[in-house]
Amino acid sequence: MKVILIVPTYNGGDLWRQVSSAISEQKNDCECILTVDSSSDDDTRETSRANGFKIVKIDKSEFNHGGTRNLAINTTCDIDIAIFLTQDAIPEINSLSNIISVFQNSDIAVAYGRQLPHDDANPIAAHARLFNYGCESNILGLEDKQKYGIKTVFSSNSFSAYRISVFKELAGFPSNTILSEDMYFAAKAVLAGYKIAYVAESAVKHSHNYTPLEEFKRYFDIGVFHHDEKWIRDTFGGAGGEGKRFIISEFTTLLKEKPSWIPRAFLHNSLKILGYKLGQNYKIIPKKFIKKLSMHKRYWDNQI
């Protein structure tokens, strides 16, 4: 199988240098490594060139989570698998070859790997990664939605791979979405009869030490997505009590390991819920406030 690795970049800095080095150690698993750079004003493109990566430069105002990745796919030809990575996700040894291997199963349209916390992850960020990305792989399809709900179509373009024939058959990502283009495509793929693979043996280090306000803004955007793409929740339902399980797991873990973080976790979770609810109702919020509530502010430039 012919494989391309695609990484959207913007002012990647020191972390991009680490990621680039880790990618280079596995470059023999890919035909090509392509970065789509949103006009970085640091040395991100120089780092990419030094590692032998191909570069497509776009204006930062043109970036969109789905549209930019579609652009990258459309610049390629004669490729069977496209792997997407974000500039802050450090691939572990053999992560690329392991995620590629699952496509021997012709039913799989999308695969995503395990995300482990960065070395500097705070207790909240570390727990979130270890809770959401377990040590057991699975393959889910439409027949699993009763048990897993919306988790059936979970995926993450922080580290994921797509079968190009299916990607083109289903017209790729939505070209203008605030985020969650990965879940959108996964839902379309499952409804078309394909399956989604979680490959725990294929891992990257990727986490964020969000502040409570950043969590609010991120979940506001998730709420916007679920409002605009209501069909996903209507088709697959909710997370089947996953939120409750997460909070209990987080509290138990922090109580045992870092009890001083429990008040901070309570604040994070409260603001997540508030942000999500507001995002789901963004249509009734005065337009002058929406951009201030959102993490992905550039998205709104052509929306309001």
Side-chain angles (χ1 to χ4, degrees), residues 69-88:
R69 289 176 170 87
N70 287 338
L71 171 68
I73 292 291
N74 292 335
T75 65
T76 68
C77 59
D78 195 26
I79 293 294
D80 300 303
I81 304 296
I83 300 174
F84 287 105
L85 195 70
T86 51
Q87 67 180 20
D88 57 349

Side-chain angles (χ1 to χ4, degrees), residues 135-178:
C135 58
E136 293 186 9
S137 300
N138 60 41
I139 297 173
L140 301 180
L142 190 59
E143 66 277 10
D144 298 296
K145 76 170 187 174
Q146 197 67 33
K147 178 178 179 181
Y148 291 93
I150 202 169
K151 294 288 285 186
T152 307
V153 293
F154 179 80
S155 183
S156 174
N157 274 346
S158 292
F159 179 41
S160 60
Y162 293 79
R163 192 184 300 275
I164 292 298
S165 59
V166 178
F167 189 86
K168 292 183 176 179
E169 172 192 336
L170 300 179
F173 299 122
S175 60
N176 188 28
T177 183
I178 192 166

Side-chain angles (χ1 to χ4, degrees), residues 233-299:
R233 288 181 65 88
D234 287 347
T235 303
F236 293 96
E242 192 79 354
K244 183 178 179 180
R245 284 204 315 115
F246 175 88
I247 291 173
I248 292 172
S249 171
E250 183 181 59
F251 177 79
T252 303
T253 300
L254 293 177
L255 186 63
K256 185 187 304 181
E257 299 175 3
K258 295 284 184 180
S260 64
W261 280 79
I262 290 175
R264 174 75 175 265
F266 176 81
L267 179 59
H268 274 250
N269 290 325
S270 299
L271 289 179
K272 284 180 186 179
I273 295 168
L274 177 60
Y276 182 74
K277 294 296 185 183
L278 287 173
Q280 283 189 306
N281 293 280
Y282 81 95
K283 289 285 190 180
I284 63 174
I285 297 174
K287 292 181 178 179
K288 64 181 179 179
F289 295 124
I290 290 178
K291 198 170 183 179
K292 295 179 181 179
L293 299 174
S294 174
M295 177 174 278
H296 298 91
K297 298 185 185 304
R298 287 205 302 261
Y299 169 79

